[in-house]
Structures are given as structure tokens and as C-alpha cells.
Amino acid sequence: MPTQKVAPDSSRRSETARRAILTAAFDLVGDVGYAKLSIEGIAAAAGVGKQTIYRWWPSKGALLFDAFLALTTDGGQDGQGGALPDTGDLAADLKLVLRAVVDELNDPRYDLPMRALHTEIVHDPALAADYAKRLDGPMRELKKERLRAARRAGQLAEDVDLDVAVDLIFGPILNRWLQRTGPLTHGYADQVVDTALRGLRPHEA
Amino acid sequence: MPTQKVAPDSSRRSETARRAILTAAFDLVGDVGYAKLSIEGIAAAAGVGKQTIYRWWPSKGALLFDAFLALTTDGGQDGQGGALPDTGDLAADLKLVLRAVVDELNDPRYDLPMRALHTEIVHDPALAADYAKRLDGPMRELKKERLRAARRAGQLAEDVDLDVAVDLIFGPILNRWLQRTGPLTHGYADQVVDTALRGLRPHEA
């Protein structure tokens, strides 16, 4: 992102260019895939010079991540995505959230860009660290906050590690999407929530 | 893989060449990464012509997958990897298996090739289908077989979906490795097993 001090007009032009670049990157990766995504192509689509992009982003992966972050935080309107629902019913709230994740992952508009971003994260430790700090970390904190509320309400075991709990609830959906090991449905989301809450061991009816 | 009928000598030479190519592919991807892995490089390292490789494999991803499959099934000696341990203690057996997975994922020799293969699977639906059929499917069946034995022994709830159970137990490790969201340790493996078996809800001591 631009950090240099500039006059107001310049600054407005910079912000307009920045948004055009982010939008172009997100749209293009959905059209051509990550392997064929080029800085040249993004520059042409955004109507800026290549040098403008190189000045602001160190890599294609970093640019894509910013594009993704801009889109997802815009979606939340408040710049952070906001807290998880809390109706007092942990299972119902988690199902609502997981079903929304399923819908997003099944949306063709998001599928390719998210696979591209995921690939970059898998291969680029620096980008993974940035992702953990700027996106996964804050979102994980919101999930843990919902689980803490459930614990206070007596709906979560005292000795459960909240990071492990988040991984059990949200991990299976991501894996099934990435590896296409089965259909990604609301029914699957519900099963994951119910099974994670209740556990695999025998239980009382 | 070669399917044409050939005389015994030819057939032996083909098998030698095939193994040399698979070994070269696996070693090279660990050295240079997937993006820089080329058919030319593999051919040179294996001492064969490029055409030999193109004749047997439709893509770099398909070749890498065969290399991976050859390595992992060789490791099992019996061509299939074999059943999960069954000492009668489900938690202990699953921890043993998950700790071995953690060790493998933390092994630098496997890390890059497995990330490369994972990336190909994420982006190539045909390869994902092949992977599901030839590697994930058979391994998943072994995991489910162990869970069925646990169910017969009264250690698993009757109404648990076995695919969901496998996802809850094995998914979190894979995600943590891919996204580097936390340290991948034996302690984490144990926590995942205990939490999945017991569930997140409050339980009796």
C-alpha cells in the first residue's frame, strides 16, 4: 500500500488507482487463473502503468492478498467483518456461519481467487505469516470470542483448547473444498458442527 | 504408466526408466520447487529423453503424483500401506498414527514435494479425482475400518458418520501444516484426538 506523503489530489488519485488495481487483480484471477495472472494484465485492466504496481506490491501473491482483504473487509462494511452471531444457541450459530462459508466456497466468483490465494500461502512462508497476522488471526479471534461466550454459558467444556476447537469446526470444510473429497453442502456443515460438539465417543441420548 | 506390450528385455528397461524418472521427479521437486520443475530437468536427471516422459505422463502433475504414489506405497512394502494399528485403545492408536503424520509433514524431504502435489490437486479437478481414487480413497477406507472396529468395541457412537469422523481427526493437522497457523507437534496431534473423541461440550470428569 502507498505510504509516501502526497498532496490531497495526488492522494485521491492514488487511492483510486489502488482500488482499480485490486479490483482488476481479483477479477482477472477469477477469469484466467493464478498461473496466467500477470502484472502486465492487471496494469492493463486497471489502466495504470506496471511500475505503479511494482512500486506498491513486492509480488503477485502480496497483491492478490490485498485484493482479497479489500474485498472481504468491504463485505463486512465495518472494516473487520464483525463478530459471529450469538443467539445463545452455540450449535445453531456455528451452523449459520459454516453454511455461509460453504456458500462462499461454492460461489464460482470466489472459487478460483481463493484457490490461488491458498496456493500462494502454502508455498510462501512470508505471505503465510502476513495472512495469519492480517486475516486468519483476527477472524480466529472472533471465532474464539464466540466460543468463550459459550463457555461462560456452560455450553463448552472448561478444558477445551480454543484453537483446537476452531480447527475442528472450521478445518474440515476447508479441506473438503480444497481436495474435493466430497460434496460441500449445508448438510455436511451441520454434521461437522454436531459431531465436533458431541464428540465421537458414545453418548447418552 | 507404460501400457504397451513389449518383449521381456524391453519391459525390464522400461521399468528401470520409469523408476529413474519417478525418483528424479521426487528429488528434483524437493530441490527446486514445483514452479521450476521441468520435464527437461527430470529427463536429464533420469538419463532419458523428454519424449519418453511425454509418452507416459500427460502432465507434470500426473508425473509427480505417480512419483509420490510409488514412494508411499514402497514405504508400506505391501503395496497398500497396510491397516491402522489396533491395540484396542482407539485414542492411543489414533495418536500413534497422527504423530507419524506430523513427523512426515515436518520432514524437509517430504515438505516441498507434498506442498507441490497439494497445489496441483487444488487446481486440477482431474488430478483431484485421480488422487481421491488412488490415494485418499484407499487410505480413508483404512481409517474408517479402524473406526468401525472401535464402534464394534463400543468406543465410537453408533450414529457418527465415519467420513465426518475421519475429517475431524485428520483435517486439522493438514490445515495447520498447509497454512502454518501454529506449531505442528505431537502435543497438537494428541489434543486433536482427545478433543475429537470427547467433543467440545461439557463432559463428566
Side-chain angles (χ1 to χ4, degrees), chain A residues 115 118-119 122-123 136 154 157 159 161 167-168 171 175 179-181 188 191 196-203, chain B residues 115 118-119 122-123 136 154 157 159 161 167-168 171 174-175 180-181 188 191 196-203:
Chain A
R115 285 181 192 276
H118 175 82
T119 294
V122 166
H123 288 282
D136 182 71
D159 59 350
D161 181 291
D167 293 348
L168 284 182
N175 277 338
Q179 306 200 327
R180 307 176 211 259
T181 40
Y188 179 70
Q191 273 187 307
L197 289 180
R198 208 166 53 186
L200 305 177
R201 286 220 178 100
H203 40 257
Chain B
R115 284 182 193 274
H118 175 82
T119 295
V122 166
H123 288 281
D136 182 69
D159 59 351
D161 181 290
D167 293 348
L168 283 182
L174 188 70
N175 278 337
R180 307 177 212 257
T181 40
Y188 179 70
Q191 273 188 307
L197 289 180
R198 208 166 53 185
L200 304 177
R201 287 221 178 99
H203 39 257

Side-chain angles (χ1 to χ4, degrees), chain A residues 20-36:
Chain A
I21 293 164
L22 294 175
T23 303
F26 190 87
D27 288 346
L28 258 185
V29 77
D31 287 342
V32 303
Y34 186 75
K36 289 187 183 139

Side-chain angles (χ1 to χ4, degrees), chain B residues 44-147:
Chain B
V48 304
K50 273 197 299 181
Q51 288 313 316
T52 305
I53 297 181
Y54 287 125
R55 202 183 317 138
W56 290 342
W57 289 277
S59 69
K60 203 166 74 164
L63 169 52
L64 187 66
F65 178 55
D66 270 353
F68 206 80
L69 203 62
L71 186 113
T72 49
T73 53
D74 282 2
Q77 297 301 331
D78 59 358
Q80 275 304 326
L84 264 61
D86 188 351
T87 66
D89 180 340
L90 179 63
D93 292 344
L94 289 176
K95 285 175 187 175
L96 195 71
V97 172
L98 272 201
R99 283 170 172 227
V101 173
V102 162
D103 290 342
E104 192 175 87
L105 294 173
N106 281 328
D107 182 339
R109 186 161 172 246
Y110 292 89
D111 184 72
L112 266 185
M114 286 194 296
R115 284 182 193 274
L117 178 63
H118 175 82
T119 295
E120 285 307 288
I121 287 165
V122 166
H123 288 281
D124 182 344
L127 190 67
D130 202 32
Y131 172 80
K133 189 177 155 198
R134 292 168 63 201
L135 194 58
D136 182 69
M139 283 177 63
R140 180 173 284 269
E141 199 41 55
L142 296 173
K143 293 165 187 168
K144 285 161 79 173
E145 199 46 50
R146 178 64 188 87
L147 294 177

Side-chain angles (χ1 to χ4, degrees), chain A residues 37-113:
Chain A
L37 182 71
S38 68
I39 298 293
E40 286 81 353
I42 298 167
V48 303
K50 273 197 301 182
Q51 287 313 316
T52 305
I53 297 181
Y54 287 126
R55 202 183 318 137
W56 291 341
W57 289 278
S59 69
K60 202 166 76 165
L63 168 52
L64 187 65
F65 177 57
D66 270 353
F68 206 79
L69 202 62
L71 187 113
T72 49
T73 52
D74 282 2
Q77 296 302 334
D78 57 358
Q80 275 303 327
L84 265 60
D86 188 352
T87 65
D89 180 339
L90 179 62
D93 292 345
L94 289 175
K95 285 174 187 174
L96 195 72
V97 172
L98 272 200
R99 283 169 172 226
V101 172
V102 161
D103 290 343
E104 191 176 87
L105 294 172
N106 281 328
D107 182 340
R109 185 158 176 248
Y110 292 89
D111 184 72
L112 267 185

